[in-house]
């Protein structure tokens, strides 16, 4: 079974995936698998533009956890969408050396549920779990993901509404 951990940059994917790896789960950090598929480097946004279709179609599914903001484009059996309240996400991203524009774009994408919507389009009817990391430790997030992976937690999504935070970016 392949479990995807996706989410807007800064929501905590790598941190929780590292914790799950420490607990013995097989984890692939997808950032390390896209190099061959980079079609453009957007220097202004410090972002790599990836040929997602090419990458996803050539990715050999694994039995384990795949982590990254493109994870939901893979044929995962279960997908965890990490979320973070936009004001807190802004703070998390500000401690990275991200350009202003990139922080604003990511905060806005989080407020608009962009990754969740993409996940629902890719995995209609599949098991999706939205996990709010805003006030949860990495450890607590890993506990919830393990429960969901084991089938002890039913799918859950669509309860988050952060549209109020959109005003931050105007
Ligand atoms: P991603 O891989 O989704 O971009 P990271 O795991 O790199 O996110 O985490 C981004 C930042 O947020 C890091 O500074 C990390 O320490 C912090 N962080 C991650 N998860 C949590 C959490 N559950 N609670 C508080 N801070 C967190
Ligand atoms: Mn990461």
């Amino acid at each position: 079974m392949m479990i995807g951990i996706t989410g807007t940059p800064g929501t905590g994917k790598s941190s929780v995936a590292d914790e799950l790896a420490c607990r013995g789960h097989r984890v692939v950090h997808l950032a390390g698998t896209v190099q061959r598929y980079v079609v453009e480097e957007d220097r202004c946004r410090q972002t790599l533009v990836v040929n997602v279709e090419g990458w996803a179609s050539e990715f050999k599914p694994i039995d384990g956890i795949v982590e990254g903001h493109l994870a939901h484009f893979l044929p995962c059996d279960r997908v965890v969408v990490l979320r973070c309240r936009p004001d807190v996400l802004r703070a998390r991203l500000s401690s990275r050396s991200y350009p202003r524009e990139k922080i604003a774009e990511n905060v806005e994408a989080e407020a608009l549920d962009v990754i969740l919507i993409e996940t629902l389009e890719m995995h209609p009817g599949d098991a999706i779990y939205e996990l709010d990391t805003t006030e949860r430790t990495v450890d607590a997030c890993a506990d919830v993901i393990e429960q969901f992976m084991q089938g002890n937690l039913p799918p859950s999504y669509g309860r988050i509404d952060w549209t109020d935070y959109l005003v931050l970016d105007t």
Side-chain angles (χ1 to χ4, degrees), residues 7-15 17 29 31 67-69 96 98:
T8 307
T11 50
K13 302 177 295 294
S14 299
S15 303
H29 297 280
E67 171 270 317
H69 70 283
R96 288 179 175 176
Y98 273 9

Side-chain angles (χ1 to χ4, degrees), residues 4-62:
I5 299 180
T6 188
T8 307
T11 50
K13 302 177 295 294
S14 299
S15 303
V16 78
D18 286 344
E19 171 58 24
L20 289 162
C22 285
R23 296 183 185 191
H25 297 278
R26 179 167 180 210
V27 171
V28 171
H29 297 280
L30 296 173
T33 69
V34 298
Q35 291 97 330
R36 275 185 352 102
Y37 305 90
V38 172
V39 290
E40 188 192 324
E41 193 183 340
D42 184 337
R43 286 178 181 275
C44 168
R45 294 189 178 77
Q46 285 181 23
T47 303
L48 299 175
V49 181
V50 173
N51 168 9
V52 177
E53 253 178 54
W55 166 77
S57 68
E58 287 170 27
F59 187 91
K60 232 175 138 269
I62 65 150

Side-chain angles (χ1 to χ4, degrees), residues 50 62 71 95 107 109 135 169:
V50 173
I62 65 150
S95 62
V107 169
E135 281 163 3
D169 286 321

Side-chain angles (χ1 to χ4, degrees), residues 90 100 104 108 165-170:
R90 178 180 291 278
R100 245 186 93 83
E108 183 179 77
Y165 290 88
L166 281 170
V167 69
L168 281 171
D169 286 321
T170 57

